[in-house]
Amino acid sequence: MTTINSIETRPLKPLFLSYLFPAMVGMLLMSVNILVDGIFVSHGVGPTALAGVNIAVPIFSILLSISLWIGMGGATLFSISLGEGNKKRAHQLFTLAFTIMIVVVITLILLLLFNLKEISYIFGASDATYPYVQEYLHVILLFGIFYTIENLLSIFIRNDGNPKLAMLGLITTSVLNIVLNYVFIFVLNYGVTGCALATALSTIIGMSVLCLHFFRKQSELKFVSTFFSMADLKKILAIGLPSFIVEASVAVMVILYNVTFLHYLGANGVTAYAMVNYIHTVLLTVFLGIGMALQPLVSYHHGARLVERLTALLKIALATALIFGLLTAIIAMLFPTQLIALFGDSTFEIRSMAAQGFTHFAIGYIFLGINMVFAEFFQSIEKIRLATSIMLLRSIILFIPTLVLLPKILGPQAIWWTFPVAEGITALLIYLYIRKRSHTISSI
């Protein structure tokens, strides 16, 4: 009851900030794991290995997208149930989400392991990069179940009123990943395998930290024996779909970018994009973190029917997203060379291509945060069609034709404009929709 009273009565700005900081730090550190892999591989193994790991990242993203899909869908219903005062259903939803995710992820891992070479080449591997893709993914997939459990637990723990522990688990993973990457790559010379092992071992320990939540007296994350409901499963999958699209579309966008850069700018273009994409992966999670902070609060208030506080929460999140978007774009445009220099072991031509491209690419961050907040908000109040439409617009419907047309019309450098154009048009369409319908949440 302490947590519930706090959520319903606490002033909204301090309440939002108490969720925002742990969520952003947690998501940021989660992506830093991938960035760290890139930096260590680039310096310790070489640019070809970096390109190989970048090709493997979308396959890794598919596993995380499953945990986000089921985790966000289940956690949203979990928080709504707590808001309604129905703890029994909350326990059933947690057990259902956890069980279904385990079954789906294990099945997917087996399919990927048995078809690794074919899938790698579809995702953009070449004869030069495939050995590194195979080396990295073989370890990542064997331990894949632990990444997904850690991600799902961090989502539910945040929804169960313990955002600080969710952050602590991800901090543990991130710090250990840095230490183990250094040991395995530079001390033991394990190469790309060492990089993957560092990620796997650090994740297992981080997951163990999250499990401490089960010993907390106020914890509502309880496993129950009677939990399966087809109606609840359909709701989990429907509500979590926008989160799945966010993560899965990252994989699709990376593949399409790799293919397009290879066509227009060759292997150098793919390597330049790999550098930008590692930085983008980190920045993207900053904006995902804003949504992650908003979701448990909105879902709870939606369940408790506190509409005025819902409206205020949306405004606070939008202001936060816009400020972060502008700051990110300005920093990226002012210091692209310094950011790209993190990946020092490449030619001057590749670094210049990446730095120049990033100054154009970064404009998209101004719109990205707004799109993410609206999608997360609509998802949290069970307006799934609206949330799904936003995610499909920015990642598929607008992105693909823009990626195809811009370089044909304006030349290869226009590939970098695909991200800002797709995000900008999506934000404009959201604005027009909201303006047409009404400014009130109740009518949306």
Side-chain angles (χ1 to χ4, degrees):
M1 290 298 294
T2 305
T3 304
I4 290 172
N5 289 335
S6 172
I7 289 175
E8 291 187 4
T9 60
R10 191 175 173 187
L12 286 174
K13 283 186 181 178
L15 177 64
F16 181 71
L17 288 174
S18 73
Y19 276 74
L20 178 66
F21 179 72
M24 286 184 68
V25 170
M27 290 300 293
L28 190 62
L29 290 174
M30 196 168 158
S31 68
V32 163
N33 286 340
I34 298 173
L35 179 65
V36 164
D37 288 356
I39 293 171
F40 276 102
V41 168
S42 175
H43 287 272
V45 189
T48 307
L50 172 65
V53 173
N54 189 55
I55 289 163
V57 165
I59 300 174
F60 180 49
S61 296
I62 291 170
L63 290 180
L64 291 179
S65 69
I66 298 294
S67 63
L68 271 175
W69 185 359
I70 297 171
M72 290 299 290
T76 297
L77 290 172
F78 174 85
S79 280
I80 291 171
S81 296
L82 289 182
E84 293 169 342
N86 192 345
K87 292 185 178 183
K88 181 181 177 181
R89 183 160 186 260
H91 302 160
Q92 291 171 333
L93 287 162
F94 168 64
T95 309
L96 177 61
F98 190 91
T99 306
I100 293 299
M101 190 204 69
I102 295 291
V103 172
V104 172
V105 168
I106 289 176
T107 304
L108 184 59
I109 286 171
L110 290 173
L111 286 171
L112 289 169
L113 279 170
F114 285 117
N115 300 280
L116 192 56
K117 188 167 187 177
E118 295 85 350
I119 291 167
S120 298
Y121 274 86
I122 290 169
F123 279 33
S126 63
D127 291 342
T129 57
Y130 175 67
Y132 296 108
V133 178
Q134 182 190 36
E135 201 177 334
Y136 184 75
L137 275 181
H138 188 69
V139 176
I140 290 290
L141 291 174
L142 286 175
F143 291 92
I145 192 68
F146 297 109
Y147 314 124
T148 54
I149 291 174
E150 182 185 40
N151 197 30
L152 181 130
L153 284 180
S154 68
I155 293 167
F156 269 96
I157 287 167
R158 198 178 297 115
N159 277 264
D160 200 24
N162 198 1
K164 289 182 180 177
L165 181 63
M167 176 182 70
L168 182 62
L170 296 172
I171 287 174
T172 303
T173 300
S174 187
V175 171
L176 282 173
N177 189 42
I178 294 170
V179 174
L180 293 176
N181 256 294
Y182 176 79
V183 172
F184 287 147
I185 292 177
F186 289 102
V187 178
L188 300 176
N189 293 314
Y190 284 179
V192 172
T193 299
C195 172
L197 279 171
T199 304
L201 293 174
S202 59
T203 300
I204 291 170
I205 297 169
M207 183 193 73
S208 303
V209 171
L210 292 178
C211 288
L212 295 172
H213 183 77
F214 291 105
F215 300 99
R216 193 172 181 241
K217 282 185 179 180
Q218 306 97 309
S219 172
E220 294 298 340
L221 298 188
K222 302 182 190 300
F223 291 102
V224 292
S225 56
T226 306
F227 62 88
F228 187 79
S229 161
M230 186 55 72
D232 282 342
L233 178 57
K234 287 178 180 177
K235 278 189 175 182
I236 286 172
L237 295 177
I239 291 173
L241 185 60
S243 296
F244 171 76
I245 293 171
V246 171
E247 190 64 37
S249 66
V250 170
V252 173
M253 291 159 84
V254 170
I255 294 163
L256 293 174
Y257 263 129
N258 280 334
V259 171
T260 307
F261 274 107
L262 186 64
H263 176 72
Y264 284 99
L265 296 169
N268 283 356
V270 175
T271 306
Y273 169 63
M275 295 175 174
V276 170
N277 188 49
Y278 271 107
I279 298 167
H280 174 61
T281 302
V282 175
L283 295 174
L284 177 63
T285 56
V286 171
F287 299 99
L288 285 173
I290 298 171
M292 288 285 190
L294 184 66
Q295 178 269 316
L297 298 174
V298 167
S299 294
Y300 183 91
H301 283 80
H302 175 60
R305 301 290 185 265
L306 300 171
V307 178
E308 285 186 14
R309 283 171 68 89
L310 272 180
T311 310
L313 276 168
L314 177 60
K315 289 177 181 177
I316 292 168
L318 284 171
T320 305
L322 185 58
I323 290 167
F324 272 101
L326 287 167
L327 284 173
T328 304
I330 290 167
I331 291 167
M333 287 187 281
L334 287 176
F335 307 105
T337 306
Q338 290 85 344
L339 291 168
I340 296 300
L342 289 168
F343 304 92
D345 291 355
S346 62
T347 65
F348 175 76
E349 180 189 353
I350 292 172
R351 289 200 306 275
S352 297
M353 189 188 300
Q356 186 181 1
F358 196 40
T359 57
H360 304 305
F361 187 91
I363 294 169
Y365 295 116
I366 297 169
F367 311 107
L368 174 66
I370 294 168
N371 296 339
M372 288 296 184
V373 164
F374 270 113
E376 196 71 61
F377 178 81
F378 289 137
Q379 182 181 8
S380 301
I381 62 170
E382 301 180 271
K383 299 291 185 183
I384 307 309
R385 286 185 182 179
L386 284 173
T388 303
S389 297
I390 292 169
M391 290 308 171
L392 287 175
L393 275 170
R394 59 171 291 275
S395 60
I396 304 293
I397 297 169
L398 293 172
F399 176 84
I400 292 175
T402 304
L403 183 63
V404 171
L405 293 173
L406 282 184
K408 283 187 177 180
I409 297 168
L410 302 174
Q413 288 303 315
I415 299 171
W416 298 107
W417 278 95
T418 304
F419 168 62
V421 168
E423 296 290 350
I425 295 173
T426 302
L428 176 62
L429 291 173
I430 294 170
Y431 169 75
L432 293 174
Y433 175 83
I434 298 292
R435 188 176 177 183
K436 181 181 178 182
R437 290 296 297 268
S438 173
H439 294 285
T440 63
I441 289 170
S442 56
S443 69
I444 295 171

